[in-house]
Amino acid sequence: MNLCQFPRRRYTMGITPIEKLECLSAYLGGPNIYIKRDDLLGLAGGGNKTRKLEFLMADAIAQGADTVITCGAIQSNHCRLTLAAANKEGIACQLVLEQRVPNSYERYASGNNFLYDLLGVEEVHVVEGGIDLMAKMESIADNLRARGRKPYVIPGGGSNAIGSMGYVACAQEMLHQFFEMDLNIGAIVCTSGSAGTHAGVLTGIVGNNAQIPVIGISINRKKETQSKMVYELSEKLAKKLNLKEAPALKDVIVFDDYVGEGYSRVTDDMLESVKLLARKEAILLDPVYTGKTMAGMIDLLRNGYFNGMKNILFLHTGGSVALFAYTGAFFGK
Ligand SMILES: *Cc1c(COP(=O)(O)O)cnc(C)c1O
């Protein structure tokens, strides 16, 4: 797989570490649990969108863009990191924020919200949940074009075939690390949200014929819908990369048992998992994605899903900045 044929910007020095979670593994008493620290990626606060933005921003720059427009939920890590990357590139950034929970947007909220302001967003457009976000972003782009600007629209989560290439690259990076560390990993567990991470890792693993199952924990959609999204994105990626073997639908593993009442809604298991990782490993997870994903991984482990495996890997995709918008839930308020 030759990823060098695609333009790429660099926002992280070197590679992210893989660490053994000694205390957590001993506490849970199953396989050794390793963690890929993509929460330590570059740009303000790090997280998985940094890898996608390396390819997306390179494409925007190649097209002569002077502004990027993207969208997300009101506490969006993706929006924060797109804005951060735009700052590094000296281009403007506008955000469309979707209020999936009615009246939940607060101009002066903490977490990512605060960072939109600190990082100097050009404009925030707050819209009601369920509207066509792509159409909204295109209409903002049209307005900017009419004023002589050159906008570039990035889809939610950066999860198109260009952005998801960042996670094909991550799969290759991990395979190299496993080899160097003499580490035979039985399964990789990651969050499955806008699907770019899950599809990218899976395509990279299948494309390298590595035969490691990639388990996606859904934080929003039902299993069938999510699996289809991951599969379709993997197909696009495989085509772009000219792969002989693309992931099949049966390679897409999704669990939807850990969503709770819905996207970004607090669950007890999420609170427990975030606390557990903080107390056993001093690692900060996040309330919307990695907390629920860790809850899923722990539940699967306790149910014997990983029996017979010596080592498993949790992909930490970042987001801890959002914890500061959820302190009430942790204090039980
Ligand atoms: C966006 C995000 C995810 C989900 O990744 P997708 O590629 O959208 O599936 C997981 N964790 C964090 C912290 C995120 O911000």
Side-chain angles (χ1 to χ4, degrees):
M1 229 184 281
N2 179 15
L3 296 178
C4 302
Q5 55 190 312
F6 304 103
R8 178 188 179 199
R9 303 289 295 160
R10 295 300 295 257
Y11 300 131
T12 306
M13 288 282 281
I15 63 174
T16 59
I18 289 178
E19 296 166 5
K20 186 175 178 187
L21 299 179
E22 297 274 4
C23 299
L24 184 72
S25 305
Y27 175 77
L28 293 171
N32 296 315
I33 303 169
Y34 286 80
I35 192 165
K36 171 72 169 165
R37 297 293 307 272
D38 267 14
D39 55 318
L40 301 180
L41 286 165
L43 298 174
N48 63 344
K49 305 312 178 306
T50 297
R51 284 193 194 268
K52 301 178 185 182
L53 286 160
E54 290 191 335
F55 289 96
L56 289 163
M57 294 304 278
D59 189 49
I61 290 161
Q63 294 189 27
D66 61 14
T67 310
V68 288
I69 304 166
T70 197
C71 65
I74 57 171
Q75 278 290 339
S76 165
N77 301 305
H78 168 67
C79 286
R80 182 231 319 152
L81 288 168
T82 303
L83 174 54
N87 285 358
K88 287 289 247 187
E89 302 296 356
I91 63 187
C93 176
Q94 297 202 3
L95 301 174
V96 175
L97 300 183
E98 184 191 12
Q99 272 192 335
R100 297 186 191 177
V101 180
N103 298 318
S104 50
Y105 177 76
E106 283 176 56
R107 168 82 169 74
Y108 297 107
S110 182
N112 283 302
N113 231 281
F114 166 63
L115 294 179
Y116 304 151
D117 197 83
L118 183 65
L119 292 163
V121 64
E122 184 177 56
E123 200 168 331
V124 169
H125 311 260
V126 181
V127 300
E128 292 315 309
I131 74 150
D132 184 342
L133 296 168
M134 209 34 143
K136 175 71 186 172
M137 291 195 288
E138 288 300 347
S139 93
I140 295 167
D142 286 342
N143 285 338
L144 287 172
R145 264 182 225 110
R147 306 206 316 258
R149 301 255 302 254
K150 293 211 157 130
Y152 180 92
V153 173
I154 296 177
S159 286
N160 56 16
I162 296 172
S164 307
M165 214 120 58
Y167 271 87
V168 178
C170 178
Q172 303 213 119
E173 183 176 304
M174 288 194 289
L175 288 173
H176 184 69
Q177 285 173 294
F178 296 163
F179 182 67
E180 289 297 319
M181 294 170 77
D182 247 330
L183 188 57
N184 196 2
I185 289 287
I188 295 172
V189 180
C190 69
T191 308
S192 204
S194 65
T197 304
H198 189 177
V201 172
L202 181 63
T203 305
I205 293 292
V206 170
N208 280 284
N209 196 17
Q211 298 171 11
I212 302 170
V214 180
I215 293 141
I217 307 292
S218 175
I219 45 75
N220 187 5
R221 294 175 199 83
K222 283 280 169 214
K223 181 178 162 164
E224 290 68 28
T225 323
Q226 188 66 25
S227 306
K228 193 159 171 274
M229 259 177 82
V230 173
Y231 175 65
E232 285 173 358
L233 187 50
S234 305
E235 270 190 317
K236 284 188 195 142
L237 267 172
K239 202 166 172 195
K240 199 170 172 64
L241 292 162
N242 227 337
L243 295 189
K244 287 210 183 81
E245 192 166 356
L249 186 56
K250 68 166 174 44
D251 298 325
V252 179
I253 306 167
V254 173
F255 287 90
D256 63 5
D257 312 86
Y258 310 101
V259 180
E261 279 173 37
Y263 175 81
S264 81
R265 303 282 193 150
V266 171
T267 65
D268 289 342
D269 288 357
M270 176 281 287
L271 293 172
E272 285 309 313
S273 302
V274 172
K275 283 182 201 168
L276 191 63
L277 264 284
R279 290 166 193 193
K280 294 285 175 202
E281 299 289 346
I283 288 177
L284 304 182
L285 298 177
D286 85 284
V288 180
Y289 300 96
T290 54
K292 286 183 178 174
T293 304
M294 182 57 79
M297 192 186 84
I298 291 172
D299 187 59
L300 289 171
L301 186 151
R302 286 181 170 148
N303 287 323
Y305 186 83
F306 303 114
N307 283 359
M309 295 181 193
K310 196 158 173 272
N311 308 298
I312 60 173
L313 181 121
F314 179 86
L315 176 55
H316 188 167
T317 41
S320 64
V321 159
L323 280 175
F324 301 100
Y326 281 75
T327 49
F330 284 88
F331 287 134
K333 283 198 274 194

